[in-house]
Amino acid sequence: MANKVYIKDKDGNDLLVATDWSIINGKPNNLATTNQLPTLGAVQRDGITFVNGGYDWDHVNNGYNCAYRIVDMGSFKLVELRMMFACSHDIGGGNMTDKTELIQLPKIIQPDENIESWYPTTSENVYIHVQNNNIGVYTSNGAKLPANTLLSFHMVYFMI
């Protein structure tokens, strides 16, 4: 026969330890409650600006193919950026290296340090180039990106 053990508070009441945190001595005072957990913001596209012939891939339906959302962690934020876009004209094709900026991102999601990323495309020597708040296409060695070619990438980064 098993013995039952009860924990009692200072007034002699039985406690369920997992439910009565107030009696624990030496507990941390900075624990998160459910009201303090990070919150995931809505998908947004406010402030995304297309330049030099760049456009959201879903330009007909005015969709959310180029969008971001922010997770507020309190002292810092996590940004999720997803982009599906194209350019209305050919890029590259000459003997020189070509870099064409197509998208400018809003200040609200500007990283607090220089973030630079390169994403390959299905075309050789054609890359999506992300640097701070600018997104463009980089071609080299005579490579050419035909007009209206779908480009896409997904990126997650931290900011203060």
Side-chain angles (χ1 to χ4, degrees), residues 13-134:
N13 299 313
D14 289 339
L15 297 175
L16 297 175
V17 177
T19 61
D20 194 349
W21 188 249
S22 65
I23 65 159
I24 305 298
N25 292 323
K27 67 182 178 278
N29 60 4
N30 64 346
L31 295 175
T33 67
T34 53
N35 292 350
Q36 298 167 324
L37 295 174
T39 56
L40 177 62
V43 175
Q44 300 178 60
R45 57 187 173 170
D46 299 337
I48 295 175
T49 305
F50 298 94
V51 295
N52 300 321
Y55 63 88
D56 184 312
W57 184 250
D58 191 21
H59 60 285
V60 175
N61 299 316
N62 204 16
Y64 283 85
N65 285 319
C66 291
Y68 60 91
R69 56 186 179 170
I70 300 170
V71 179
D72 188 346
M73 307 289 246
S75 61
F76 65 93
K77 293 177 175 48
L78 180 72
V79 176
E80 177 192 22
L81 182 63
R82 70 168 190 251
M83 306 299 280
M84 294 176 67
F85 61 101
C87 184
S88 61
H89 57 80
D90 295 348
I91 297 175
N95 294 328
M96 303 293 288
T97 297
D98 184 70
K99 182 175 179 226
T100 303
E101 183 180 305
L102 298 175
I103 301 171
Q104 295 172 339
L105 299 174
K107 296 282 186 198
I108 191 170
I109 60 172
Q110 181 172 355
D112 50 322
E113 61 182 83
N114 183 27
I115 291 180
E116 185 170 8
S117 299
W118 297 84
Y119 297 90
T121 66
T122 56
S123 301
E124 186 175 355
N125 295 320
V126 177
Y127 300 91
I128 299 169
H129 181 232
V130 180
Q131 187 169 21
N132 293 328
N133 278 29
N134 298 315

Side-chain angles (χ1 to χ4, degrees), residues 134-153:
N134 298 315
I135 300 171
V137 173
Y138 178 89
T139 63
S140 64
N141 298 331
K144 177 180 171 183
L145 180 72
N148 305 310
T149 299
L150 171 62
L151 299 166
S152 68
F153 73 92

